[in-house]
């Protein structure tokens, strides 16, 4: 299980860049060929500027951002333009609207965010927070495929984590993670074990890395001897394997994760919109 995923995700869409001045009706720039202009609607430019402020830490996770009126004055655009930009940011889970209170920077430490990336739910009853047992946490050199997906050089340092997640005492998920070593200096088994919130909350609050989105590839596999031992099932038991690549601001890949899910009493649920 310590090897790099054999069929991991590609990093998908290219990074988006903020358009030019927010003062006009549309921004323009040169395409990659340098021969034709590209245009973005004004609200997209405002969205890019707000995202830049989020990325720079001007407004911290959980903090209230300026009102639509204040942002409209700041960027010299209409309140409707700002509202449309914030609507998209809210749809992407970068900000959270709270009735009568304003708009806040989304955080992984919110109760509503705990299950955003954990899609395994019980066949009966309500979803519970799993217990974690860390089997390995160590710094290793990135294999070629891990380095490619995380945009590192082969041999660069990565933090490797292997853990079991159990629901009501039943081992259900076996996970392996690879994280860029430069971003996650000081991440140890002890720190992970003592942190009581979600792992992404730790990454956000102590390492300044917020997971914005992820891509996944899911397939059925049979449990090998190692997975069978950890999950306490017979070798050959059907498992669901999910290879996930998670991104932070600027479409930068910052986590590679492989999960093996036992679905005897659970199923993988995703909401499509």
């Amino acid at each position: 299980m310590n090897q790099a995923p054999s069929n991991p995700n590609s990093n998908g869409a290219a990074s988006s860049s903020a358009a030019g001045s927010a003062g006009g009706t549309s921004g323009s720039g040169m395409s990659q060929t340098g021969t034709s202009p590209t245009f973005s609607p004004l609200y997209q430019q405002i969205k890019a500027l707000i995202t830049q402020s989020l990325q720079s830490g001007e407004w911290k996770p959980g903090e209230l951002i300026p009102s639509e009126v204040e942002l409209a004055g700041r960027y010299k655009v209409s309140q409707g333009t700002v509202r449309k930009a914030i609507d998209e940011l809210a749809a992407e889970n970068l900000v959270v609207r709270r009735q009568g209170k304003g708009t806040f920077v989304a955080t992984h430490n919110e109760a509503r965010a705990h299950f955003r990336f954990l899609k395994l739910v019980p066949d009966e009853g309500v979803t519970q927070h799993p217990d974690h047992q860390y089997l390995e946490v160590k710094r290793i050199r990135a294999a070629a495929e891990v380095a490619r997906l995380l945009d590192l050089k082969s041999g660069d340092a990565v933090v490797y984590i292997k853990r079991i997640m159990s629901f009501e005492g039943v081992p259900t998920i076996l996970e392996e993670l690879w994280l860029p070593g430069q971003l996650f200096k000081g991440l140890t088994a002890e720190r992970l074990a003592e942190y009581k919130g979600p792992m992404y909350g730790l990454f956000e609050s102590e390492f300044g890395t917020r997971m914005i989105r992820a891509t996944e590839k899911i397939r059925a596999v049979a449990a090998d001897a190692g997975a069978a031992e950890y999950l306490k099932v017979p070798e050959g038991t059907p498992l669901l394997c999910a290879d996930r690549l998670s991104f932070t601001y600027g479409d930068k890949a910052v986590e590679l994760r492989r999960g093996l899910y036992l679905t005897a009493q659970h199923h993988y649920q995703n909401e499509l919109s």
Side-chain angles (χ1 to χ4, degrees):
M1 294 295 295
N2 289 4
Q3 295 181 356
S6 58
N7 186 25
N9 305 290
S10 66
N11 58 10
S15 301
S16 60
S17 59
S21 168
T25 58
S26 66
S28 63
M30 301 305 292
S31 68
Q32 290 183 350
T33 61
T35 58
S36 61
T38 57
F39 300 93
S40 63
L42 182 54
Y43 80 90
Q44 288 282 359
Q45 298 176 53
I46 302 306
K47 175 186 174 185
L49 291 172
I50 295 173
T51 301
Q52 286 176 4
S53 291
L54 295 173
Q55 184 175 3
S56 69
E58 178 179 350
W59 310 308
K60 300 290 191 290
E63 286 185 355
L64 178 70
I65 72 171
S67 69
E68 292 177 0
V69 172
E70 291 172 315
L71 290 172
R74 172 174 175 167
Y75 298 126
K76 296 180 174 55
V77 296
S78 71
Q79 188 176 343
T81 297
V82 171
R83 182 178 300 114
K84 192 169 183 180
I86 292 178
D87 284 344
E88 286 206 355
L89 292 170
E92 295 171 8
N93 296 293
L94 296 184
V95 299
V96 179
R97 293 185 184 276
R98 293 179 184 158
Q99 187 66 34
K101 295 182 178 180
T103 302
F104 294 77
V105 182
T107 171
H108 287 295
N109 286 309
E110 288 180 334
R112 66 185 292 275
H114 287 183
F115 299 106
R116 182 182 167 203
F117 290 93
L118 179 60
K119 300 297 187 180
L120 200 69
V121 299
D123 293 335
E124 298 181 0
V126 298
T127 304
Q128 302 290 330
H129 292 283
D131 296 321
H132 308 280
Q133 177 188 357
Y134 291 96
L135 305 171
E136 292 184 66
V137 181
K138 59 186 180 181
R139 292 178 73 88
I140 61 175
R141 294 188 179 279
E145 188 68 358
V146 170
R148 182 183 70 81
L149 290 169
L150 293 177
D151 197 22
L152 303 173
K153 295 178 181 177
S154 184
D156 279 357
V158 293
V159 177
Y160 171 77
I161 300 171
K162 186 175 184 177
R163 67 175 180 172
I164 295 174
M165 302 170 71
S166 301
F167 294 91
E168 298 182 341
V170 179
T172 306
I173 304 172
L174 177 63
E175 280 192 329
E176 294 177 287
L177 295 81
W178 294 262
L179 305 165
Q182 186 68 25
L183 283 178
F184 292 91
K185 287 182 177 179
L187 182 59
T188 63
E190 292 75 20
R191 187 66 195 97
L192 285 166
E194 69 185 19
Y195 187 78
K196 300 307 179 185
M199 180 182 282
Y200 281 174
L202 175 66
F203 293 171
E204 174 187 272
S205 61
E206 297 200 12
F207 296 93
T209 301
R210 174 170 170 74
M211 305 302 180
I212 301 302
R213 71 173 187 88
T215 61
E216 283 191 333
K217 289 183 178 179
I218 300 176
R219 65 186 185 277
V221 299
D224 60 17
E229 181 179 357
Y230 286 123
L231 295 174
K232 303 186 185 308
V233 294
E235 189 172 347
T237 295
L239 302 173
L240 197 63
C241 176
D243 289 327
R244 177 193 300 170
L245 192 60
S246 298
F247 301 83
T248 188
Y249 295 106
D251 251 9
K252 177 177 175 56
V254 288
E255 180 204 52
L256 178 61
R257 179 184 299 222
R258 163 167 288 181
L260 293 175
Y261 300 89
L262 182 62
T263 58
Q265 298 178 25
H266 292 76
H267 59 275
Y268 196 94
Q269 180 171 304
N270 206 355
E271 295 184 7
L272 305 178
S273 60

